Amino acid sequence: MVPLSHLWLPIVLSAVVVFVASSLIHMVLKWHNSDYRALPNEDEVRAAIRKGSPEPGQYVMPRCNDMKDMGKPEVQQKYKEGPVGFLVLVPNGVPKMGKAMIQWFLFAAAVAFMAAYVAGHTLGAGTHYLQVFRVVGTVSFLTYAGGSVQAGIWMGKPCGAVLKDLLDGLIYGLLSAGVFGWLWPRI
């Protein structure tokens, strides 16, 4: 067993490496730009939503209070007519990238902490690089990539976007695994 206090350097460095890699993926390579499409009548849709004055939050349409309601003819008609979808609204104004970047870094640090927790409790000091790589890589990949799979299953996130997110998670997991394997405490 390796105490978490001996793993602070790989935790922090792993979070930094993932943060830099994700910045390159999103700001330089921009391979996720095609994941977000524009509505052909965006201004009309924005006006209709604005007219309802919804608060920031997550919405679904059509909305059913109970699964039993889905069998009602009027609800079935709404599903046939469409649109059917999920909508996330955030507060009005220019997005605050600084806040989002801080939250992303903190998430990367939390993922590294959890990977360190699992690895520290299952591996001893002096464990071979490849074994550390496997454990940390698996925990990190599952953490970074799992949410997107759920969004694909339950919210209809397009398969291509989910696959790109899985590739991101794989990259972040491999980078985290490499950092931990490199800095794993020796005997």
Side-chain angles (χ1 to χ4, degrees):
M1 191 167 139
V2 176
L4 283 171
S5 61
H6 294 158
L7 299 174
W8 68 268
L9 183 57
I11 290 170
V12 172
L13 188 56
S14 173
V16 169
V17 168
V18 167
F19 183 85
V20 170
S22 71
S23 296
L24 293 172
I25 287 170
H26 288 276
M27 293 188 263
V28 176
L29 298 177
K30 299 181 181 185
W31 71 27
H32 287 281
N33 280 6
S34 63
D35 295 348
Y36 304 95
R37 299 179 355 193
L39 292 167
N41 59 342
E42 179 182 329
D43 290 337
E44 294 170 29
V45 172
R46 287 179 52 243
I49 293 171
R50 196 169 39 253
K51 184 178 176 184
S53 299
E55 294 181 14
Q58 182 172 281
Y59 298 87
V60 62
M61 51 189 176
R63 170 77 163 93
C64 296
N65 288 327
D66 190 297
M67 291 300 289
K68 295 175 191 172
D69 293 341
M70 292 181 78
K72 293 180 179 177
E74 61 272 16
V75 174
Q76 291 288 316
Q77 186 60 34
K78 287 181 181 182
Y79 277 103
K80 288 178 188 169
E81 292 171 352
V84 176
F86 298 89
L87 177 67
V88 175
L89 297 175
V90 297
N92 291 344
V94 177
K96 295 179 172 115
M97 289 304 292
K99 179 182 175 184
M101 300 281 268
I102 289 168
Q103 289 173 326
W104 172 243
F105 179 78
L106 293 174
F107 178 71
V111 171
F113 179 84
M114 293 310 298
Y117 177 82
V118 171
H121 281 77
T122 58
L123 306 171
T127 299
H128 188 270
Y129 174 92
L130 191 54
Q131 186 60 25
V132 174
F133 190 95
R134 283 186 196 122
V135 171
V136 171
T138 300
V139 170
S140 299
F141 168 71
L142 290 172
T143 306
Y144 283 118
S148 188
V149 173
Q150 289 183 42
I153 293 168
W154 294 107
M155 302 186 85
K157 185 172 187 172
C159 184
V162 171
L163 290 174
K164 287 187 224 174
D165 288 343
L166 288 172
L167 182 56
D168 290 350
L170 180 63
I171 291 168
Y172 305 155
L174 293 173
L175 290 170
S176 297
V179 168
F180 272 86
W182 170 48
L183 296 173
W184 193 254
R186 305 295 171 226
I187 297 175

